[in-house]
Amino acid sequence: MSDSAKVTDTLLPDLPPPANSTGVIGWMRMHLFSSPVNALLTLFTLYILYILLVPSISWALINADWVGDNRDACTSGGACWVFIYNRFDQFMYGFYPEMERWRIDLTFGMLAVLVIWLMVPNLPKKGLVSVLTLVVYPIIAYFLLYGGSFGLEVVETHKWGGMSLTLILAIVGIVAALPFGVLLALGRRSEMPIVKSFCVVYIEFWRGVPLITVLFMASVMLPLFLPGEVDFDKLLRAMIGIVMFQSAYMAEVVRGGLQAIPKGQYEAAQALGLNYWKMMGLIVLPQALKLMIPGIVNTFIALFKDTSLVLIIGLFDILAIVQAGLSDPNWLGFSVEGYTFVALMFWVFCYGMSKYSQHLEKRFHTGHGAR
Amino acid sequence: MSMTHQVEDKLMVEMRGVNKWYGQFHVLKDVNLEVKKGERIVICGPSGSGKSTTIRCINRLEEHQKGDIIVDGTTLNNDLKNIETIRREVGMVFQHFNLFPHLTVLENCALAPIWVRKTPREEAEEIAMKYLRRVKIEEQALKYPGQLSGGQQQRVAIARSLCMNPQVMLFDEPTSALDPEMIKEVLDVMVELAEEGMTMLCVTHEMGFAKTVADRVIFMDKGQIIEENEPHEFFNNPQSERTKAFLSQILNH
Amino acid sequence: MSSDANKSPSASQKTRFWHDPAKRAILFQSLLVIAVLGFVGMIVQNTLHNLESRGITTGFAFLSQEAGFGIIQSLIDYSESSSYGRTFFVGLLNTLLVSVLGIIAATLLGFIMGIARLSNNWLISKVASAYVEIFRNIPLLIQIFFWYFAVLRALPSPRQSLEPIENIFINVRGLYMPEPIYGDGFGWVVAAFFIAVVAVFFISRWSKKRQDETGQRFPMLWTAAGLIIGLPLLVYWVMGSPLTWEAPVLKGFNFRGGMTIIPELAALWVALTIYTAAFIAEIVRSGIEAVSHGQTEAASALGLNRGKVLRLVVVPQAVRVIIPPLTSQYLNLIKNSSLATAIGYPDLVSVFAGTTLNQTGQAIEVIFMTMLVYLTLSLLVSAFMNWFNTRMALVER
């Protein structure tokens, strides 16, 4: 060892950091009052929050009335949740006959089981369950909800409504749009010029127009397109419009997923002798679909919110049914409560789903997507 | 020094006057190449010289625009049937492995036998295990590619190609994406394969491999085959100035 | 596709038709064309038959007929005796009005909220993030209804109007403001403004050139602000203040004179702004975060101060990430403005695809024209943004 070497044998102990950088005071100094401007902003924001939140909370929770039979129960001066409480079943099930509502419960219960199965990591047979969900389940759901066989009474679609209708519209829209979206996306990436331009025109057309004009078109023009005096179901018309519209958005999500698959995967599949459909079906789509899930969830959120537009063509989704309830002479003047309730219902669903999709994105992003 | 082994007279790959352009850029200029059954050929050259493109034309990952490519008696043209036939007979190993990340190692290997050769699943998995054992990685069969090291992944990729029982193997810079300590394990597998008489075309910069294994070394530059010789002569007595320059660059440092 | 390889003499076996990708493509595409044409043909035939049996004449002749209904807000002259064609333009202009107002306000609010989310002030970033999470997860239609039915309907009648600032009145019928009356010579003030803008443009070019040559920098921001605000003010003063205000006056049950923002417009504007701003805030935040931390560190290490790091390194890179999604938010806002029909704001869908369609029954023509408008707007906005994008990319290199 040379003379210039420095050596120490004493290990330095771990010391606590200086007091002004830890604890509540330190935290506040760092995050709230780091500069005079910041301190002013903090105080100003606190003041605004105070003005907004205190009355809202006291209105919505503290001074609110919750239970009762009619508006006379609302005496506290705050929110009158009695209105919601009384009509809750209607808001959920629409005008679906009371005796048959178990069918809706069962339909959504089954869906919940399937979806949770797909969402929880490490559960086996995801492929089989996906097929069940996308192919078999819709058929069962149709017979359960509409009835007409297996001894189930027919429930006409004009009796459907409320939250269940909102969910049905959104789910049908997404599930039916998925296969079309895949085909359109493959077409858009195809080398055949006519196929490609057809897909591009289709996708850009539907993405360029507002959903409301699509719904108008579906409800006014679809009957004109069909032969004879077929007066077909209003709900079905809306669904056709939504699916045509949604396929275009789905196609873009699928295209994004396909683009994320590296060229080497295509090459390796080709080098092994797989043809186009086998390459797509076995190698590219299984990987791309997984990457697409966040995108699909995001379009589902958008569609779920958009379903509220069917009110304009006269379907009774949850917003329409609450709106109708607000014009009941017995419950006039509770529009804030009504809209707050619907907003909350939508918010819970959308926020939950968006958090889930962010979680997935993060998981894929860090590259631990391999199950 | 090449090893003694059986080279038959039968032509496995024949390229005659192959030309290719990327837009205006002439990537392959009159490439002529004959590979006999059991021959091992190493192709080297500076980057952008067209060596990868050459072997990618053999299984039609790239389309050539002029000339003929005949693989095991089948001419490559626009006939999808011929392309399928050739791809069944020609295995390929890529620089970046290109394993399918959503499938296990075993599924990666069994995929093509099942879907292209229509082998029953059980039998296909037996074949897969056989080749995984051969590249000494059978204990990883149930893992996903993402869980393996680069060298292990490349060995799986070799096994995956072998599962199709190919007549010819193409290697496209199989070791250049690997960390130095993993190169040897892949080269060992390739040497073993060569000893068993596999017809091989390797694009590589591993000159040690070329010296021990190759029957012929081909040097390409600017889309042309510049020099072609057996390895001893190629390294000790290069003819072309460009070959000399290239060899001095990669050997002297 | 090349065919040289195809014609090679050694092609011993003849290529079967369905094994040739070129021929296969032709077959497949012909089938697609036949299917689409057949489908469209069937629809056209059915439609013509249905229209005939319902006694509806096709064509655009109805556009010149008298509309006979009133519209509560119009940017051009319109009365009940105007034609259906005119209702189209009234609706279109109203759509454009609320879209432009919405885009401006949503951009401002969105950028503020997006930057606030990145603030190192914990409270502010939490408030901004709560704002985003709340408003983008509630359907726009509910928000419009909330503002329109729950908030604006609860305002007092004209007689009890709120007057937060003198001569500005808020009541259930709308927001009433003084209207500017432009006197003689106001044109000079406008001209002065444009002259100032042009001058700023040239000065900034000169100052950039000077900086390139000599390294000296010119206080561009202050000069620009001074010119653009100062010059028009100066001219305004010289011309003798050629601008007066006409205040709204309560007459009978309502206000007369002044400018009015009807509650339908206000509700739609507020809802569109708040909803879209939540999305824009997310875009701004992720755009800024997309510029890697390494870039900021490298710039700081070169000795640039915080402002210059932002202006020279972060913003130019972030803007390129931000613009494409921002464009699609603008398009969404334009399309979402069609929800106007739910509260009766007289936009294109409400007036033209609503009332006009119902009165004339010309569903196909009306829906066709309406969709065409939105398609055109979409194409125009994306074309503009594409141009902007390429320009950005070029300027940066």
Side-chain angles (χ1 to χ4, degrees), chain C residues 3 7 70 117 142-143 156 183 203 243 255 298-300 302 357 380:
Chain C
S3 54
K7 287 178 203 142
R117 276 198 77 174
I142 297 178
Q143 299 193 32
I203 294 173
L243 180 68
F255 283 91
S300 311
L302 286 172
L357 190 156
L380 282 179

Side-chain angles (χ1 to χ4, degrees), chain A residues 263-275 278 282-284 286-287 290 370-371, chain B residues 56 59 61 84 87 90 92 94 98-103 111-112 115-116 118 144 160 164:
Chain A
K263 204 164 140 248
Q265 294 289 311
Y266 291 84
E267 287 178 348
Q270 283 172 352
L272 286 173
L274 299 178
N275 65 25
K278 280 177 192 157
L282 295 168
I283 307 300
V284 179
Q287 294 183 56
K290 221 162 111 186
R371 266 173 257 185
Chain B
R56 286 158 62 89
N59 68 349
L61 287 182
E84 271 175 38
R87 284 182 179 161
V90 178
M92 184 162 197
F94 297 86
N98 294 353
L99 293 177
F100 305 129
H102 63 304
L103 302 176
L111 181 93
W115 290 94
V116 179
K118 305 196 168 54
Y144 285 92
R160 178 174 74 176
M164 288 294 283

Side-chain angles (χ1 to χ4, degrees), chain B residues 16 63-66 68 70 75 77-82, chain C residues 1-2 4-6 8 10 13 15-16 19-21 24:
Chain B
R16 288 202 303 244
E63 197 177 319
H64 61 286
Q65 282 129 354
K66 223 174 127 194
D68 294 320
I70 302 158
T75 306
N77 53 20
N78 275 339
D79 192 332
L80 290 178
K81 198 82 195 161
N82 290 355
Chain C
M1 204 165 272
S2 87
D4 281 31
N6 243 350
S8 74
S10 58
Q13 58 280 70
T15 304
R16 289 218 208 120
H19 287 146
D20 184 337
R24 211 150 80 158

Side-chain angles (χ1 to χ4, degrees), chain B residues 142-155:
Chain B
L142 297 180
K143 287 195 179 163
Y144 285 92
Q147 296 165 297
L148 306 185
S149 75
Q152 290 174 318
Q153 290 196 39
Q154 194 60 299
R155 283 189 280 150

Side-chain angles (χ1 to χ4, degrees), chain A residues 92 163 304 318 340-350:
Chain A
M92 292 296 113
M163 196 63 194
F304 185 66
I318 181 166
T340 308
F341 169 72
V342 191
L344 193 69
M345 294 295 296
F346 272 101
W347 187 83
V348 167
F349 272 89
C350 295

